[in-house]
C-alpha cells in the first residue's frame, strides 16, 4: 500500500487530460478554500504522455551525463508542453537528479498521441550532454508499446531498445559543429 | 488568501510552482545552494535566498528553510517533490511557525508513512490491499508461517521504509531466513524502527496511480489515473494518462477506491494512491 503525500513529477499529464491546474488547487486548499470542482465536473479528454528527458547515456547503462548544455531548443506546437529548468549555456550540476526536462504531449486519441510524441521528441533538441531522447524514440517504435498493453517488465524485456544508431541527421550535425565553433572562439 | 510562498525545492518543479504563483498573483521566493547560483528557478522567482555551499544538505535543512520563510514574510511553503516533501517534521515546524504547509498535516504524513498502520486503515475502509501479514511480524517463525500461507515470492518490508530501502524480495523459505535479520538491521539504521511486515510479491504488475485532491472541508475527488508501468529499476521513464489498458469500469472503480482511501486517512491536499494491477487477472485489483 502506497499513498504518496506530495505533488508527483508526472502531475502534468493529469493536468492535460482534465484541465485542472493541480499546483493552483494545492495552494487554494492550503489557504483553506473549498475545491473548485465536484467529481461529476471532472472529465477526462484524450490521452497525455510524459517523457522524462534525463541527462543520462542509455547506451552506457544510463550513466549520468552532466555538464554544459551548449544548445537547447524547447519543443513546441499543438498539444506540446515542456516543463524544464535548463537553458542554452546552463551547466547541469552533478549533485542532483538527472531530470532536465519533462516533455508532455497531449492528443485526442492514442494513435494521434503516438504520432505527436514522435514529432515532439524530434522537435526538442538538447546539445552538449547525452539524454534519454533517442531511447524514448525507440520505445515509441516498439509494437509492444504501441499496443498500449505492457507491465513493469517492459524495459527489462526489451534490452534491444538501446541499440539505436547515434548517427545524427546532417542538419543537427551542422548545428553541433556551429555550436562548437562558437564555444571555441568564445563568440 | 496566501500572498507569498517560499519554494523549498529546485529544478523544474520549483519553476513550475513559480509559474502557478505568478498566475495567481502570489509572490514567490526561491532558495538555492551555491551550486544552483545560475539555476532557472532563481531567475524566475520574485526573490531568492542563498543557502550556502552544501549542495544537497542545504535543501534538507528544515529549520533553516522555515526560518527563511518567516524572515522573508512568506505565509506559505511549497515543498515540491523529493527533498523534504514527505517529511512530517517540516510540516510540523511550518505549523508551529504559522507558515501554511502546502501538503497534508504532519499527522497524516506520519500515519501514511507507517505502512502497517496505513494498511490497517485501508482494510477497515474496504480498500483492497496486497495480501500480507496481519500487522508487524513478531519473529522469524511467524514470518515463515505467514509466507507459507501467502505463497512465495514474498516481499519483506520495513514498516517505516521507503524509497526502495528496507525491502527484500524472498523467493523461498531459505531466502526469507537469510534476509530477516538483514532487513531489520537495515530498517533500524535507516529509519530508526525495527518493525517489519510481509506482503505477497506481485510479479510484473502494471503500475497505476490515481491522483486525488482533498480540501479541508471534507471534499475529496479523483482526477483519474496515470499508467507508470514504463520504468527502469523502479525509476519511471514514461507516464501515460489515462492508462490505455483499463476499461471504463476499472477506471471508475479505481477512482472510487482512491477517494475512499483519501477519506479514510483524513487526507488533505493533492496526493496519489498507487495500485499494482495483475496483468492476467485484470478484474482483480491488488493495492
Amino acid at each position: 500500500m502506497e499513498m504518496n503525500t506530495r505533488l508527483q513529477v508526472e502531475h502534468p499529464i493529469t493536468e492535460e487530460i482534465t484541465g485542472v491546474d493541480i499546483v493552483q488547487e494545492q495552494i487554494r486548499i492550503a489557504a483553506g478554500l473549498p475545491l473548485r470542482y465536484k467529481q461529476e465536473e471532472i472529465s477526462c479528454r484524450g490521452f497525455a504522455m510524459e517523457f522524462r528527458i534525463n541527462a543520462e547515456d542509455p547506451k552506457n547503462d544510463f550513466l549520468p551525463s552532466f555538464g554544459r548544455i551548449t544548445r537547447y531548443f524547447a519543443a513546441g506546437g499543438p498539444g506540446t508542453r515542456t516543463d524544464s529548468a535548463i537553458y542554452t549555456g546552463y551547466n547541469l550540476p552533478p549533485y542532483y537528479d538527472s531530470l532536465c526536462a519533462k516533455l508532455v504531449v497531449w492528443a485526442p486519441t492514442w494513435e494521434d498521441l503516438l504520432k505527436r510524441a514522435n514529432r515532439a521528441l524530434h522537435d526538442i533538441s538538447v546539445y552538449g550532454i547525452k539524454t534519454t531522447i533517442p531511447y524514448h524514440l525507440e520505445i515509441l517504435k516498439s509494437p509492444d508499446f504501441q499496443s498500449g498493453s505492457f507491465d513493469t517488465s517492459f524495459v527489462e524485456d526489451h534490452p534491444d531498445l538501446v541499440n539505436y544508431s547515434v548517427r545524427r541527421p546532417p542538419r543537427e550535425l551542422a548545428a553541433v559543429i556551429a555550436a562548437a565553433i562558437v564555444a571555441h572562439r568564445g563568440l | 488568501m496566501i500572498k507569498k510562498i517560499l519554494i523549498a525545492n529546485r529544478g523544474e518543479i520549483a519553476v513550475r510552482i513559480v509559474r502557478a504563483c505568478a498566475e495567481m498573483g502570489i509572490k514567490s521566493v526561491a532558495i538555492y545552494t551555491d551550486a544552483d547560483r545560475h539555476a532557472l528557478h532563481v531567475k524566475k522567482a520574485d526573490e531568492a535566498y542563498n543557502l550556502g555551499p552544501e549542495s544537497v544538505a542545504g535543501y534538507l535543512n528544515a529549520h533553516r528553510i522555515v526560518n527563511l520563510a518567516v524572515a522573508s514574510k512568506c505565509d506559505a511553503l511549497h515543498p515540491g517533490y523529493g527533498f523534504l516533501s514527505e517529511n512530517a517534521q517540516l510540516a510540523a515546524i511550518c505549523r508551529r511557525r504559522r507558515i501554511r504547509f502546502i501538503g497534508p498535516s504532519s499527522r497524516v504524513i506520519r500515519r501514511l508513512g507507517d505502512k502497517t498502520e496505513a494498511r490497517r486503515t485501508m482494510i477497515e475502509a474496504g480498500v483492497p490491499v496486497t495480501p500480507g501479514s496481519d500487522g508487524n511480524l513478531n519473529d522469524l517463525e511467524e514470518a515463515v508461517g505467514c509466507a507459507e500461507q501467502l505463497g512465495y515470492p514474498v516481499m519483506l518490508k520495513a514498516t517505516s521504509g521507503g524509497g526502495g530501502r528496507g525491502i527484500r524480495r524472498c523467493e523461498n523459505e531459505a531466502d526469507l531466513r537469510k534476509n530477516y535479520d538483514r532487513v531489520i538491521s537495515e530498517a533500524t539504521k535507516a529509519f530508526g524502527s525495527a518493525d517489519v511486515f510481509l506482503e505477497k510479491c506481485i510479479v510484473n504488475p502494471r503500475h497505476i496511480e490515481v491522483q486525488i485532491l482533498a480540501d479541508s472541508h471534507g471534499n475529496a475527488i479523483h482526477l483519474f489515473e496515470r499508467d507508470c508501468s514504463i520504468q527502469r529499476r523502479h525509476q519511471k521513464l514514461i507516464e501515460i494518462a489515462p492508462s490505455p489498458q483499463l476499461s471504463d469500469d476499472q477506471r471508475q472503480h479505481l477512482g472510487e477506491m482512491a477517494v475512499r482511501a483519501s477519506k479514510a486517512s483524513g487526507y488533505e491536499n493533492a496526493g496519489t494512491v498507487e495500485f499494482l494491477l495483475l496483468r492476467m487477472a485484470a478484474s482483480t485489483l491488488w493495492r
Side-chain angles (χ1 to χ4, degrees), chain A residues 3-131:
Chain A
M3 186 150 170
N4 298 320
T5 59
R6 58 164 194 276
L7 181 65
Q8 302 263 127
V9 176
E10 58 272 22
H11 75 277
I13 53 174
T14 299
E15 297 184 322
E16 294 306 310
I17 58 160
T18 60
V20 176
D21 186 313
I22 294 172
V23 180
Q24 290 199 19
E25 280 309 306
Q26 281 196 295
I27 294 170
R28 291 171 52 88
I29 291 167
L33 296 170
L35 287 176
R36 265 193 289 192
Y37 308 90
K38 291 194 170 61
Q39 188 66 63
E40 55 271 24
E41 292 167 349
I42 301 293
S43 59
C44 153
R45 196 173 146 257
F47 282 94
M49 201 180 279
E50 173 183 277
F51 297 91
R52 296 196 188 191
I53 313 292
N54 294 335
E56 292 170 1
D57 182 5
K59 282 189 161 307
N60 198 355
D61 201 26
F62 292 80
L63 195 75
S65 169
F66 297 108
R68 194 175 133 87
I69 291 162
T70 52
R71 275 287 204 197
Y72 166 59
F73 300 101
T80 307
R81 161 181 174 181
T82 315
D83 281 21
S84 85
I86 59 169
Y87 53 87
T88 296
Y90 179 58
N91 225 317
L92 206 62
Y95 314 106
Y96 309 105
D97 69 48
S98 58
L99 181 68
C100 56
K102 303 189 305 201
L103 178 60
V104 179
V105 183
W106 177 90
T109 67
W110 175 249
E111 290 69 29
D112 291 334
L113 182 66
L114 294 173
K115 289 181 207 156
R116 182 166 282 170
N118 182 62
R119 188 274 295 165
L121 281 165
H122 279 106
D123 204 3
I124 188 172
S125 324
V126 184
Y127 298 114
I129 55 165
K130 296 264 195 329
T131 74

Side-chain angles (χ1 to χ4, degrees), chain B residues 59-237:
Chain B
Y59 292 110
L60 295 172
N61 189 336
H63 281 286
R64 173 125 190 253
I65 291 169
V66 179
N67 280 342
L68 264 173
V70 173
S72 58
K73 299 197 163 54
C74 288
D75 46 9
L77 179 148
H78 198 306
Y81 55 68
F83 293 119
L84 293 170
S85 60
E86 291 180 277
N87 183 296
Q89 203 201 354
L90 175 66
I93 298 170
C94 281
R95 191 186 170 89
R96 254 196 330 270
R97 305 292 304 275
R98 292 170 192 253
I99 298 285
R100 287 174 193 268
F101 179 75
I102 302 173
S105 68
S106 60
R107 198 164 40 89
V108 169
I109 297 175
R110 230 171 249 130
R111 197 191 299 152
L112 289 171
D114 180 319
K115 297 189 178 199
T116 47
E117 199 182 323
R119 273 179 66 90
R120 200 172 301 131
T121 309
M122 294 311 143
I123 292 167
E124 277 168 19
V127 177
V129 299
T130 310
S133 57
D134 183 17
N136 294 324
L137 296 161
N138 290 311
D139 53 41
L140 177 58
E141 292 318 311
E142 189 188 339
V144 170
C146 177
E148 204 70 28
Q149 281 188 338
L150 293 173
Y152 289 95
V154 294
M155 301 295 266
L156 181 61
K157 293 181 169 185
T159 302
S160 310
R165 284 195 304 173
I167 179 166
R168 281 281 197 301
R169 178 174 161 157
C170 305
E171 302 299 332
N172 48 46
E173 185 181 331
D175 233 14
L176 178 57
R177 289 188 180 276
K178 192 177 73 194
N179 283 313
Y180 192 76
D181 287 336
R182 210 175 280 171
V183 171
I184 286 183
S185 130
E186 202 176 300
T188 312
K189 274 188 212 132
F191 313 111
S193 158
D195 291 337
V196 292
F197 69 105
L198 270 184
E199 264 181 10
K200 186 163 177 62
C201 177
I202 310 293
V203 181
N204 297 337
R206 290 175 290 168
H207 178 130
I208 308 283
E209 55 183 37
V210 178
Q211 176 73 53
I212 53 135
L213 288 175
D215 65 19
S216 56
H217 305 272
N219 305 306
I221 60 171
H222 71 82
L223 301 182
F224 299 102
E225 79 285 355
R226 297 183 284 256
D227 191 319
C228 306
S229 302
I230 305 293
Q231 40 181 273
R232 180 183 171 271
R233 297 186 188 163
H234 301 291
Q235 298 295 314
K236 296 165 188 166
L237 289 171

